[in-house]
Amino acid sequence: MAAFSAFMQRVTFAFGLIGSFAVVSGAHANDITAQWPGWNEVSPEVFPDETWLRYEAPEDAGWSADGLAAAAAYAQEHGSSAGFVLYDGAVLTEWGETERRFKCHSVRKSLMSALFGMAVAEGSINLDESLAEIGIDDDTPLTDMEKSAKVSDLLKARSGVYLPAAYETRSMKRGRPERGSHAPGTHWYYNNWDFNALGAIYNLKTGRDLFGDFEARLARPLGMQDFDLSHTYYHLEAQNSRFPAYPFRMSARDLARFGLLFLNEGKWSDQQIIPASWVAESTRSYSARKRGGGYGYMWWTFGRKLGEMGTYAALGYGGQAVIVVPAARLVYVNRVNTYDRHRMSTKAIADTLVQILKARTGPPKADPKLVPVPELDRSHASVTLTADERARLTGAYRSDLINARVTDDGDGLAISDPNQGTFHLVPQGPTSFLIEGFQREAQFVENGAGEITGLKIAKAKDGWSLVPRVGD
């Protein structure tokens, strides 16, 4: 868990990805794309139930199995930990640990945008309301000009509030404009203050918790297989701002459901979950980028050929991406294991998407054969511990890098860190565990009297981090 502190969001990833897509996508000026609308009409609309359905043969859906396999192999060679590709709601291809809950990084912002769409539709939130009218201020008091920023300005990252924020990176700090240099609505700056304040605004205006709403209003209706509230948390940096960031950990196959919802303009089966008008409004550009593409309501848009296809995406540090290509009826989710310092280059993600699109060969069959995607066993549990065996392990563990608490919820143990959230501990022996999601070994240390004195956590490569026990 010590390695966690090294992995923070990098806005430069998102900027680079936009530029890479703008350049690379020009190579896919393929004549057959003009035929795609007609091909899409032939394909039946599919929504997953408890598990996904996949095309038994991608050729039945009008795609080359060899071309898709080549794209998957290329992605994995270049750092992808998991990929999930849909055509019209059924799986074309997948690779890697699609069920593993990796850190979403800045993909969280597009998840929040979806919640805002529902709150605006029900009248809880008014996009034209200002920070002053809502009563938003920070520990460093906002000026009258800053308080005039509207909710819509924050969604567009155009608030004009240039203050320190939680989860801010060095590049964000270096690029932050001088305070008061731009009036609200006049300048785009990728601003964690805006994004974090939106979380507080959502909770205040709806009277609910954003994570609870995500579970009740999106995860459950969409049938997400791996999502749980324990995989979310508020990351507060009180020295910077009163507004915490709101990280998520999610699997590729669950994020694919989110992408499919947007591909279908907010509709899931026969239920309109997000207004179609919000999908259109939030995924169009309000701020153009110099290297192509732009920024909507916490969604990225693209230029050149992909822009012509209506492409937009949720993007995050290290290679996290949920990319929607409406003209191709395609969703491509890419995940990278940033726990272990892995990263996929922006160009490699762009090249993978282009290879996937080039694998389209013709119209689908009227009735392609669909088969269930097998469920995966993620438990990895090899033993079961008694309540007494678990109780002796609970307590506080602290070092210079880790401030953790081990707790027992009645069903099992979990380890929590205020900067990283909560992870389940999957027992492998009486004192040996696997940190689920993080996928590192953890071993409790005993002294000669059988007392628990510390916790060892495996490092990304070799060795262990020892965290002494400091109390109950």
Side-chain angles (χ1 to χ4, degrees):
M1 190 173 289
F4 284 177
S5 300
F7 303 117
M8 303 296 283
Q9 300 156 309
R10 296 291 187 270
V11 66
T12 50
F13 167 78
F15 293 163
L17 188 54
I18 295 293
S20 296
F21 273 126
V23 173
V24 178
S25 65
H28 188 50
N30 194 328
D31 290 341
I32 69 168
T33 59
Q35 304 175 56
W36 287 2
W39 295 355
N40 294 339
E41 290 296 322
V42 180
S43 183
E45 190 177 73
V46 179
F47 292 92
D49 290 321
E50 292 183 2
T51 58
W52 286 93
L53 294 173
R54 66 172 175 82
Y55 296 99
E56 186 174 55
E59 284 78 6
D60 288 352
W63 298 76
S64 164
D66 290 342
L68 293 170
Y74 176 89
Q76 292 177 93
E77 289 169 4
H78 287 78
S80 177
S81 303
F84 213 76
V85 182
L86 309 177
Y87 172 60
D88 241 352
V91 180
L92 277 175
T93 188
E94 59 175 309
W95 62 85
E97 297 177 284
T98 60
E99 82 292 351
R100 185 173 172 184
R101 305 175 190 94
F102 294 108
K103 296 175 74 171
C104 286
H105 295 281
S106 288
V107 169
R108 71 186 176 100
K109 297 157 189 175
S110 301
L111 304 179
M112 170 62 80
S113 180
L115 292 176
F116 263 78
M118 292 184 280
V120 168
E122 70 186 14
S124 300
I125 293 176
N126 180 352
L127 296 185
D128 292 326
E129 198 169 16
S130 70
L131 297 181
E133 291 169 324
I134 298 171
I136 293 295
D137 207 342
D138 209 339
D139 294 332
T140 299
L142 302 186
T143 65
D144 289 343
M145 184 177 77
E146 290 168 337
K147 287 182 179 180
S148 72
K150 299 177 181 179
V151 174
S152 60
D153 294 328
L154 274 66
L155 284 166
K156 298 171 186 174
R158 300 177 71 94
S159 74
V161 180
Y162 305 130
L163 292 174
Y167 244 36
E168 200 172 35
T169 64
R170 285 191 295 269
S171 61
M172 286 180 172
K173 294 175 183 177
R174 287 195 301 265
R176 186 192 303 131
E178 183 180 349
R179 191 176 183 195
S181 59
H182 301 282
T186 64
H187 180 74
W188 184 88
Y189 163 66
Y190 191 76
N191 191 355
N192 262 19
W193 192 93
D194 291 8
F195 308 134
N196 297 343
L198 284 169
I201 290 170
Y202 183 89
N203 290 349
L204 177 65
K205 297 297 292 184
T206 64
R208 301 185 299 266
D209 176 72
L210 70 92
F211 292 132
D213 270 12
F214 184 85
E215 179 188 48
R217 308 188 75 177
L218 287 170
R220 289 179 186 170
L222 272 55
M224 291 185 179
Q225 297 162 262
D226 307 305
F227 179 81
D228 187 88
L229 279 177
S230 65
H231 310 134
T232 64
Y233 67 103
Y234 289 103
H235 176 95
L236 178 66
E237 297 175 13
Q239 73 276 19
N240 289 324
S241 171
R242 67 177 60 170
F243 303 122
Y246 39 91
F248 288 73
R249 300 195 306 270
M250 294 179 63
S251 67
R253 61 186 184 179
D254 277 356
L255 284 173
R257 292 178 185 249
F258 181 72
L260 181 59
L261 175 68
F262 270 75
L263 178 66
N264 287 300
E265 300 179 337
K267 184 180 179 183
W268 192 262
S269 189
D270 59 354
Q271 182 182 3
Q272 191 71 44
I273 293 178
I274 301 171
S277 59
W278 181 264
V279 173
E281 183 178 351
S282 63
T283 60
R284 69 181 181 90
S285 176
Y286 298 96
S287 304
R289 303 300 305 150
K290 291 181 179 179
R291 291 191 290 173
Y295 200 71
Y297 290 166
M298 298 194 284
W299 286 91
W300 297 92
T301 64
F302 302 99
R304 299 193 182 184
K305 188 65 178 179
L306 286 178
E308 295 172 14
M309 296 178 187
T311 306
Y312 55 90
L315 302 176
Y317 165 68
Q320 322 309 326
V322 181
I323 304 173
V324 181
V325 189
R329 297 293 298 164
L330 186 101
V331 174
Y332 164 39
V333 175
N334 190 75
R335 306 310 312 278
V336 175
N337 179 11
T338 54
Y339 296 129
D340 290 343
R341 302 176 185 268
H342 297 172
R343 184 171 178 175
M344 185 174 179
S345 76
T346 57
K347 184 178 183 302
I349 295 173
D351 288 342
T352 301
L353 176 59
V354 171
Q355 286 189 49
I356 291 168
L357 293 172
K358 284 185 174 182
R360 194 169 193 186
T361 57
K365 292 182 178 179
D367 188 22
K369 186 174 182 180
L370 300 173
V371 296
V373 174
E375 181 58 39
L376 301 172
D377 180 11
R378 296 182 290 101
S379 66
H380 304 293
S382 58
V383 299
T384 300
L385 302 184
T386 66
D388 288 342
E389 288 175 317
R390 298 196 303 265
R392 65 189 292 263
L393 306 177
T394 62
Y397 298 79
R398 189 174 304 127
S399 68
D400 291 341
L401 296 176
I402 298 174
N403 180 14
R405 176 166 289 278
V406 175
T407 58
D408 186 351
D409 63 7
D411 294 322
L413 295 178
I415 184 169
S416 302
D417 182 287
N419 291 322
Q420 303 301 334
T422 300
F423 293 79
H424 297 296
L425 293 175
V426 183
Q428 310 295 297
T431 58
S432 177
F433 294 80
L434 179 71
I435 305 176
E436 189 179 33
F438 190 40
Q439 301 303 97
R440 299 271 182 85
E441 290 181 73
Q443 294 183 2
F444 290 88
V445 179
E446 300 177 86
N447 62 18
E451 300 167 326
I452 300 298
T453 59
L455 175 64
K456 294 194 306 181
I457 299 175
K459 295 181 179 180
K461 293 184 178 180
D462 297 322
W464 299 79
S465 295
L466 176 61
V467 189
R469 186 175 188 175
V470 295
D472 296 329

